[in-house]
Amino acid sequence: MSDSLEWLYQPIQPLNAQCHAEAQAYQNQLTKPPGSLGRLEQLGALFAAAQGQLKPVLKKVSIRVFAADHGVAEEGVSAFPQEVTVEMVRNFSRGGAAITVLARQLGADFKVVNVGTLTELESLPQVEDARIAAGTANFCRQPAMSPAQLEAALACGRRAAEQAADQGVQLFIGGEMGIANTTAATALAAALLEQPARSLVGPGTGVDSAGIDRKTTAIDRALALHQAKLDSPLATLQHLGGLEIAALCGAYLGCARRGLPVLVDGFITTSAALVASRINPQLRPWLLFSHNSAEPGHRLMQQAMDAEPLLDLGMRLGEGSGAAVCVPLLQSACRLQSEMATFAEAAVSENIC
């Protein structure tokens, strides 16, 4: 392991247990029956523990969409051509994508980080050029990334996390854009969960049954080719992952190291969360999970991390869109924790039973 990757394994500060206990106790003093707000109470206490204060605030949200292409697209695994990745980055820049609409609604700090589109992009508003390579290699034939490319992608995600923390952000959302990235995410899940590809493969961008067969075959070939090298989460990421997935891993670990909660989006971002939490299990308490994707492998990854997603809307777009939809729920949880009156303050009689 390179010395410059040691940061991945350094201890991560846990949530403030004392503050969490105090926040839970405080919930029982508020003008409501105990537990009547369900998971909103749990979420309010979690943010209190993350921020180290009894009354948490959630006003500043950072959304970073990492974009990259994938060599495995050569195997016909996507319903869309690779040109769509750069076309969608331009659409993000113009504000016409789902995640940009939601980011405006939230007043979130939004940016796209290009870590590896197949072709170079012109300078665009709200797009950071951090291009490491012209996409990954076709992992059916060789490792998806070189060690240097993997290291650069992880560092790119870490920088995004550091920038968010320095700006006083209270929640980080990572999104992704990359044609064929559901194939890479499925390969990672199959390797880490030790499950057959067939049980995890889904339609992704909308491929038909023949496309699902091609995805399954490609993943099976990749797993067979690299099996002897998949001896650690980091090696698995290098051989089967994507530049944007690696950047997400770096961002998640970077956020946790700075005490910044992460709201995980859908299938691809959950594969990054799975890899990152296998690299450093101390990450897990800093991860919140937004929704159940329609991709069949998503629930299996969430179960492996003991995750309880907040919503189930049948979404499978990615980009960070499912996570963005959940932000108002989290804001409600924080405001309820912070702004409700106690029985004593409101001069309301408490339950005597």
Side-chain angles (χ1 to χ4, degrees), residues 2-351:
S2 167
D3 290 345
S4 58
L5 291 177
E6 288 184 0
W7 68 273
L8 298 170
Y9 304 94
Q10 290 174 352
I12 292 172
Q13 185 79 12
L15 295 170
N16 187 318
Q18 180 179 346
C19 195
H20 189 258
E22 291 174 355
Q24 288 179 310
Y26 184 68
Q27 279 283 347
N28 292 331
Q29 300 174 39
L30 301 179
T31 48
K32 60 176 176 57
S36 59
L37 287 174
R39 286 193 67 189
L40 292 173
E41 296 184 16
Q42 300 169 20
L43 293 166
L46 185 148
F47 273 91
Q51 296 179 12
Q53 56 187 10
L54 186 63
K55 297 184 176 183
V57 176
L58 179 49
K59 294 181 179 179
K60 299 184 71 173
V61 178
S62 178
I63 302 175
R64 290 293 179 269
V65 176
F66 298 94
D69 278 303
H70 295 258
V72 71
E74 298 170 357
E75 306 297 325
V77 297
S78 176
F80 289 88
Q82 282 195 287
E83 291 87 340
V84 168
T85 303
V86 293
E87 291 167 355
M88 279 301 298
V89 171
R90 295 187 181 105
N91 190 30
F92 292 140
S93 178
R94 292 191 296 266
I99 187 56
T100 53
V101 172
L102 294 167
R104 285 197 299 274
Q105 175 189 335
L106 297 171
D109 171 48
F110 175 83
K111 187 182 289 186
V112 180
V113 184
N114 177 12
V115 286
T117 54
L118 186 62
T119 56
E120 291 188 40
L121 274 160
E122 67 277 17
S123 178
L124 293 168
Q126 293 186 293
V127 177
E128 177 185 339
D129 182 12
R131 189 166 173 264
I132 296 163
T136 54
N138 184 346
F139 63 32
C140 292
R141 302 175 186 175
Q142 65 189 85
M145 291 171 275
S146 69
Q149 289 170 342
L150 173 63
E151 185 174 329
L154 289 163
C156 182
R158 182 187 183 184
R159 286 195 301 274
E162 295 284 350
Q163 290 166 3
D166 289 344
Q167 292 167 5
V169 164
Q170 293 135 352
L171 181 70
F172 182 90
I173 293 173
E176 41 61 43
M177 179 63 222
I179 294 301
N181 63 8
T182 56
T183 302
T186 305
L188 289 169
L192 293 173
L193 301 180
E194 299 181 347
Q195 294 288 328
R198 175 63 67 178
S199 68
L200 299 167
V201 170
T205 51
V207 295
D208 56 16
S209 59
I212 288 176
D213 288 341
R214 288 192 295 272
K215 286 175 74 170
T216 304
T217 298
I219 293 167
D220 284 340
R221 285 173 56 198
L223 291 172
L225 176 65
H226 303 296
Q227 189 60 51
K229 301 291 182 66
L230 307 182
D231 56 358
S232 72
L234 206 56
T236 302
L237 180 60
Q238 181 203 333
H239 285 78
L240 302 176
L243 292 160
E244 83 280 37
I245 296 174
L248 284 162
C249 288
Y252 293 163
L253 288 162
C255 284
R257 292 182 71 243
R258 293 292 301 272
L260 176 57
V262 168
L263 183 58
V264 180
D265 183 38
F267 183 63
I268 288 90
T269 57
T270 300
S271 75
L274 178 64
V275 175
S277 61
R278 292 288 180 91
I279 290 171
N280 191 333
Q282 292 174 330
L283 163 69
R284 175 62 187 86
W286 293 94
L287 301 178
L288 290 162
F289 292 82
S290 59
H291 72 113
N292 278 319
S293 167
E295 284 290 304
H298 194 210
R299 293 177 193 267
L300 289 175
M301 288 193 287
Q302 290 177 330
Q303 289 168 6
M305 289 182 282
D306 195 26
E308 294 183 62
L310 298 169
L311 297 175
D312 190 345
L313 299 176
M315 297 177 70
R316 56 180 178 86
L317 174 61
E319 302 178 0
S321 56
V325 167
C326 286
V327 171
L329 284 176
L330 301 181
Q331 291 175 323
S332 293
C334 289
R335 295 193 71 156
L336 289 165
Q337 172 78 29
S338 302
E339 298 178 21
M340 281 186 72
T342 65
F343 284 101
E345 289 168 342
V348 173
S349 299
E350 296 189 53
N351 186 349

